[in-house]
Amino acid sequence: MTLRVLSIASEAAPLIKTGGLADVAGALPAALAPHGVEMTTILPGYPKVMAALGKAKAVHTWPSLLGEPARLIKGKLGAHPLLVVDAPAFFARDGGPYADGGGRDWGDNWRRFAAFARAAAEVAAGAVKGLAFDLAHAHDWQAAMTPAYLRYDGVSLPSVMTIHNMAFQGHYGADIFGGLALPREAFAFDGVEYHGGVGFLKAGLEAASAITTVSPTYAREIREAQFGMGLEGLIRSRGARVHGIVNGIDTAEWNPETDPALAQRFSVRTLPRRIANKRALEAEFALDSHDGPLFVVITRLTWQKGMDVLLEVVDHLVGLGGRLAVLGSGDAALEGALHAAAARHPGKVSVRIGYDEALSHRMQAGGDAILVPSRFEPCGLTQLYGLAYGCVPVVSRTGGLADTVVDANLAALAAGAATGVQFNAVHYSALADAIDRTISLYSQTDVWRGLQRAGMKSDFSWSRSGNAYADLYAALVEDR
Ligand SMILES: Nc1ncnc2c1ncn2[C@@H]1O[C@H](COP(=O)(O)OP(=O)(O)O[C@H]2O[C@H](CO)[C@@H](O)[C@H](O)[C@H]2O)[C@@H](O)[C@H]1O
């Protein structure tokens, strides 16, 4: 029997991406297909998404979706079914999915994503002729009101709420409650009410049949105040209904043997060819060209990602003969500080501010090591891309970073299992030590090759996790 799942996400690669959520939402349909799940993705109709749809016909219309007219349009996400909520008043704007061109969040985000979730709940519940679903799977706060709407509509469809990042919760004042079109009783401690206001993620976590997050370690961490960010009590109260399923990567997109972005393709058997990518990357970033270690960073520039601590160790890294290439965008102060570090170290440190998918591939192929000093990391994808591309990950021991990188301690090295370097706390001395260790490992050519090979051979495909999601869906549908 095929299970029909509606995956509700505010971004999905390749159509619209600001971060890791898009990679995962974009990869899930193909990951689930071999396990008897037909996944349909539903997205908001941002201009980029509408442009990709072309002249598709509406399959449903809402004269008033939380007060604005909207249509549902059918399309394709790769080879998989896609639905798009075309509501111009909410989504037809220049800028990003969540913020304007200047990086300021849209003031009506609560209404935009409540409307999106409302539409998705109706679709999941079977309101549109010809579309039927066995389960709704909502991602992050932007989709989190879907399980809540299902609950207060009295629809018994099972639902899964996935946390990709607990730091973003969709927390608003109580005054928006009236605009959500929910019954009065929903404004309750075990409903959508959160610290006197409205919490979108909180509402979804309360209403969903099961909760998942994107690694087993993060699933444990969010039971504690440091990582639960106010929702740790709720997570603990949902006990066995909280699961950690680690992300995979799309191995068609991220394969160094076939990647069209690279100067030179390579595999685990032809690792020496990688050098052409390193030389190309040095040229692209105007870095000195030599055989010393080249570190890369590819990230959103936020507190989460530990970029302030990276800035503190730049001088140390350069002092040891390292070079650093950074690609990122986000916090303006961090952007400025990175530019200043590059100006201090011409030929040694170079920064690209912006978002560039192809460049991120070239960096994974040409860098020797990727630095991921996150303060918390639900799963993390750039370390997985690093593993696949022989770019050795140097990561903080948290969340999915702890679960996916095997530290090069003596035992792991002796067993040939080591794939990277882990360090404990995100502060100067721990990161500086990790960089020392990495450079020392790099100088032992055979050891370094061993790390690269073990990483490239490790299984970061979606097969195991696809299976885990499919099992969870099946159990929830059976329980219904
Ligand atoms: N400037 C830039 N140019 C090009 N590409 C860039 C870029 N900045 C980032 N990227 C890309 O965006 C993605 C980021 O994914 P991550 O998983 O590392 O973090 P993010 O915090 O966005 O995701 C959240 O959701 C994901 C998915 O579950 C979790 O893995 C993660 O821990 C959680 O914080 C990667 O594909 C990366 O290559």
Side-chain angles (χ1 to χ4, degrees):
M1 188 191 88
T2 303
L3 272 184
R4 297 156 305 178
V5 173
L6 183 67
S7 171
I8 306 125
S10 56
E11 50 182 279
L15 291 182
I16 178 87
K17 170 168 167 177
T18 71
L21 165 62
D23 300 56
V24 175
L28 276 179
L32 269 305
H35 305 284
V37 174
E38 187 195 57
M39 181 171 274
T40 300
T41 306
I42 186 165
L43 284 173
Y46 315 114
K48 263 192 183 166
V49 173
M50 296 308 295
L53 282 180
K55 280 209 172 48
K57 211 163 94 247
V59 293
H60 186 71
T61 56
W62 287 270
S64 168
L65 179 65
L66 295 194
E68 302 292 347
R71 310 183 303 157
L72 187 71
I73 305 198
K74 258 189 182 175
K76 285 272 179 203
L77 182 64
H80 302 273
L82 173 73
L83 296 168
V84 173
V85 180
D86 175 29
F90 296 130
F91 304 122
R93 354 181 140 166
D94 296 336
Y98 319 121
D100 64 19
R104 280 171 303 268
D105 280 356
W106 301 111
D108 59 348
N109 272 347
W110 68 271
R111 214 167 145 245
R112 301 171 73 226
F113 292 106
F116 171 58
R118 172 80 238 163
E122 290 183 23
V123 172
V128 179
K129 223 173 113 212
L131 294 175
F133 296 96
D134 302 301
L135 184 138
H137 185 167
H139 302 273
D140 274 353
W141 76 266
Q142 296 92 339
M145 289 303 283
T146 298
Y149 281 121
L150 288 169
R151 173 183 176 187
Y152 292 105
D153 285 349
V155 177
S156 66
L157 193 79
S159 57
V160 173
M161 180 75 239
T162 294
I163 305 163
H164 295 268
N165 198 332
M166 200 60 135
F168 304 111
Q169 299 188 353
H171 189 188
Y172 298 101
D175 53 319
I176 71 150
F177 180 75
L180 296 175
L182 281 166
R184 269 243 62 80
E185 81 254 24
F187 196 77
F189 176 69
D190 65 350
V192 309
E193 186 275 333
Y194 186 47
H195 294 300
V198 172
F200 278 37
L201 181 61
K202 188 262 179 167
L205 295 173
E206 287 282 3
S209 324
I211 296 168
T212 71
T213 186
V214 287
S215 70
T217 294
Y218 194 62
R220 279 194 302 278
E221 287 173 340
I222 56 175
R223 299 168 60 83
E224 309 303 328
Q226 187 192 347
F227 297 100
M229 305 195 168
L231 289 169
E232 58 277 6
L234 167 49
I235 294 295
R236 281 201 297 271
S237 77
R238 304 243 30 211
R241 298 224 155 229
V242 183
H243 309 265
I245 303 177
V246 75
N247 289 332
I249 68 173
D250 184 336
T251 46
E253 266 302 298
W254 289 93
N255 179 350
E257 289 186 70
T258 56
D259 193 331
L262 309 192
Q264 172 75 61
R265 294 177 200 149
F266 60 97
S267 73
V268 69
R269 289 173 310 281
T270 57
L271 262 176
R273 290 191 190 159
R274 246 185 135 260
I275 190 72
N277 294 307
K278 182 166 173 176
R279 293 284 104 90
L281 194 63
E282 288 164 347
E284 188 164 5
F285 272 88
L287 289 166
D288 298 346
S289 182
H290 58 76
D291 287 335
L294 173 53
F295 291 86
V296 297
V297 172
I298 303 158
T299 188
R300 292 185 293 109
L301 298 174
T302 62
W303 184 84
Q304 171 190 350
K305 304 295 184 179
M307 287 300 108
D308 48 330
V309 182
L310 175 81
L311 279 158
E312 289 173 16
V313 300
V314 164
D315 296 355
H316 179 74
L317 184 154
V318 170
L320 293 171
R323 287 157 300 155
L324 174 66
V326 181
L327 168 64
S329 64
D331 188 297
L334 288 171
E335 292 181 3
L338 283 165
H339 278 311
R344 263 199 332 274
H345 298 292
K348 309 282 189 292
V349 176
S350 181
V351 176
R352 271 307 151 73
I353 299 300
Y355 190 91
D356 188 335
E357 190 75 27
L359 178 56
S360 76
H361 285 238
R362 296 196 290 277
M363 292 172 78
Q364 297 279 12
D368 293 306
I370 179 157
L371 290 172
V372 193
S374 304
R375 288 193 165 85
F376 65 94
E377 197 59 80
C379 177
L381 294 169
T382 59
Q383 85 282 11
L384 299 180
Y385 301 142
L387 290 170
Y389 277 58
C391 187
V392 173
V394 179
V395 304
S396 47
R397 190 174 281 124
T398 187
L401 300 174
D403 291 341
T404 57
V405 175
V406 181
D407 179 61
N409 57 50
L410 289 177
L413 280 172
T419 59
V421 171
Q422 289 191 349
F423 57 96
N424 268 327
V426 181
H427 55 59
Y428 174 86
S429 56
L431 182 53
D433 282 354
I435 288 168
D436 295 352
R437 275 178 70 207
T438 306
I439 291 180
S440 145
L441 289 162
Y442 178 84
S443 67
Q444 306 163 60
T445 310
D446 290 347
V447 174
W448 192 258
R449 278 269 183 265
L451 288 178
Q452 289 178 301
R453 284 206 189 93
M456 291 179 83
K457 286 190 196 151
S458 50
D459 181 11
F460 30 69
S461 74
W462 268 105
S463 53
R464 208 170 342 141
S465 298
N467 200 30
Y469 278 115
D471 284 352
L472 176 65
Y473 297 156
L476 295 173
V477 170
E478 225 162 82
D479 270 7
R480 186 182 178 177

